[in-house]
Amino acid sequence: MSEATTLLDRVQELQDAATAQVAAATTTAELEDVRVAVLGRKAELPNLLRGVSELPPAERGAAGKAANVARGAIEKALAERKSSLASAEEAVKLAADRLDLTLPGSPQLPDGALHIITSTWRDVEDVFVGLGFSVLSGREVETTHYNFDALNHSPTHPARAATDTFYVSDDVVLRTHTSPMQVRAMEQYDPPLYVVIPGRVYRRDYDATHLPQFHQVEGLAVDVGITLSDLKGTLMAFARSIFGGELDVRLRPHFFPFTEPSVEIDVACFNCTDGWIGGDRCPVCRGEQWLEILGAGQVDPNVLRAVGREEYHPERVQGFAFGMGIERIAMLRSGIPDLRLYMENDVRFLEQLR
Ligand code: DAH
């Protein structure tokens, strides 16, 4: 047997062994090890190829060709195996990474809720919208003309004192009530007028039942022949919707510069009627057993005159007005007696009022 024949046999053996190893590899990593073992720098086949130059010239051609063919066959087998292993590995990886889009999100976000003042504001507004009133909003920085003068406050009225009212300048204040919108509404719209005006108001007060900034809803109805019984009927309907008709309500004569006659409407103290026997020491009503919820009355003719429009002349139209504190209503409904808690934004407190 010539050297060349032996070499050709060896090449065939190496090719057979290599293709068997390629077929046996089960991962692309294993396959790479096979490639290094059979075609790498230290592998036998490439070294045989290098040895071809030492053969007798007549045998070199056949041996070189055989070795190159073997090498090409192994490279082809490697490439085919690589692509099939790679796609199998890709399929396994995709299956493992699969997302179930129907699973609930994680973590679950807590639901938000309206602040009790906002929800009470909206509830009050809804009742009056249901009774046919429109909703207006006004400015929080107001002139003393609208806040006091046009509302028939005398020049020496105590509410004007700098100890009660936040002054921006001599004739500009943070409005102390929503009532200034009465005159502004009448200036802007013709009668018949049925409006409520919710908004923020400011006073120099701070204790369990008074905040320096709080919310009111003003009401104004102006039409031909409006009487105090229209006011009473409207406010009874309001109280029934908001309190569910369980708490007692009473009307008391009172005084406001911008209404004549004026009344205050009280609701029974929830803290006492719930069976708390604190008597005079009840922190909510201080023993009164009644809580003032709103002031009201027939619009004073002087206020109609301050509008300065013929349409609002007191001999043509009459009106009723009322103003209530939204915090008061919220306090009555939630049973939480300290208004300061509402504004401190302690989530542990607010969560209980959802
Ligand atoms: N503006 C009054 C206050 O803040 C509340 C009020 C009383 C409003 C009588 C009115 C009213 O419209 O007629 O205390």
Side-chain angles (χ1 to χ4, degrees), residues 247 268-275 284 291 331-337:
L247 290 172
C269 173
F270 62 86
N271 206 33
C272 295
T273 47
D274 268 4
V284 180
L291 290 169
M331 185 163 89
L332 289 170
R333 295 211 303 180
S334 68
I336 288 154

Side-chain angles (χ1 to χ4, degrees), residues 176-177 179 182 203 216 218-219 256 258-259 295-297 321-323:
T176 59
H177 50 179
S179 304
Q182 289 188 23
R203 287 184 205 172
Q216 288 187 332
E218 191 76 14
F256 295 104
F258 36 92
T259 43
F322 58 85

Side-chain angles (χ1 to χ4, degrees), residues 4 44-45 90 98 110 113 148 156 164 177 197 202 212 214 229 241 255 260 273 283 314-315 323 338 346 348-349 353:
E44 192 178 342
L45 185 69
E90 175 83 355
R98 178 133 127 220
F148 297 124
T156 56
D164 289 344
H177 50 179
I197 307 110
Y202 301 85
F214 57 106
S229 50
S241 301
F255 174 81
E260 183 58 37
T273 47
E315 302 205 341
D338 192 330
D346 184 330
R348 292 167 302 177
F349 169 76
L353 297 181

Side-chain angles (χ1 to χ4, degrees), residues 65-328:
K65 191 176 172 203
N68 269 323
V69 167
R71 183 196 189 106
I74 294 167
E75 277 171 350
K76 187 166 173 256
L78 276 168
E80 280 168 10
R81 187 69 184 146
K82 186 171 182 181
S83 97
S84 87
L85 283 177
S87 57
E89 280 169 14
E90 175 83 355
V92 168
K93 196 169 165 228
L94 284 178
D97 281 357
R98 178 133 127 220
L99 278 185
D100 181 351
L101 297 178
T102 65
L103 285 175
S106 166
Q108 291 283 71
L109 292 175
D111 288 338
L114 291 180
H115 189 279
I116 181 170
I117 297 303
T118 308
S119 61
T120 307
W121 169 324
R122 293 190 187 177
D123 289 346
V124 171
E125 216 177 80
D126 284 352
V127 172
F128 286 104
V129 167
L131 291 171
F133 284 70
S134 305
V135 181
L136 297 179
S137 62
R139 54 193 77 192
E140 290 173 32
V141 180
E142 188 51 282
T143 63
T144 50
H145 169 76
Y146 287 105
N147 199 81
F148 297 124
D149 304 321
L151 291 171
N152 202 35
H153 285 66
S154 69
T156 56
H157 193 281
R160 296 179 188 258
T163 47
D164 289 344
T165 299
F166 293 105
Y167 277 82
V168 176
S169 66
D170 283 350
D171 52 5
V172 176
V173 296
L174 299 187
R175 65 175 175 191
T176 59
H177 50 179
T178 43
S179 304
M181 274 304 290
Q182 289 188 23
V183 174
R184 286 189 182 275
M186 289 187 281
E187 284 176 351
Q188 198 176 350
Y189 302 100
D190 293 341
L193 186 66
Y194 292 84
V195 289
V196 286
I197 307 110
R200 285 201 185 94
V201 300
Y202 301 85
R203 287 184 205 172
R204 306 191 99 154
D205 264 335
Y206 191 52
D207 61 38
T209 55
H210 298 88
L211 298 173
Q213 184 226 66
F214 57 106
H215 303 80
Q216 288 187 332
V217 178
E218 191 76 14
L220 177 67
V222 186
D223 207 336
V224 174
I226 291 271
T227 70
L228 203 60
S229 50
D230 297 312
L231 167 72
K232 191 175 172 187
T234 303
L235 293 180
M236 290 287 285
F238 163 76
R240 280 188 206 132
S241 301
I242 289 289
F243 299 112
E246 280 166 40
L247 290 172
D248 271 350
V249 170
R250 74 175 182 185
L251 264 69
R252 243 177 331 104
H254 200 72
F255 174 81
F256 295 104
F258 36 92
T259 43
E260 183 58 37
S262 302
V263 294
E264 255 184 4
I265 299 205
D266 299 341
V267 173
C269 173
F270 62 86
N271 206 33
C272 295
T273 47
D274 268 4
W276 190 75
I277 332 173
D280 289 353
R281 289 178 297 122
C282 172
V284 180
C285 68
R286 300 194 170 99
E288 289 292 307
Q289 297 186 353
W290 291 95
L291 290 169
E292 171 202 331
I293 54 159
L294 62 84
Q298 284 277 101
V299 177
D300 194 293
N302 285 342
V303 175
L304 295 174
R305 280 186 207 106
V307 177
R309 294 181 61 195
E310 200 42 46
E311 293 87 338
Y312 282 97
H313 193 285
E315 302 205 341
R316 290 173 78 148
V317 289
Q318 295 71 42
F320 69 70
F322 58 85
M324 73 183 83
I326 294 178
E327 281 77 359
R328 275 299 161 100

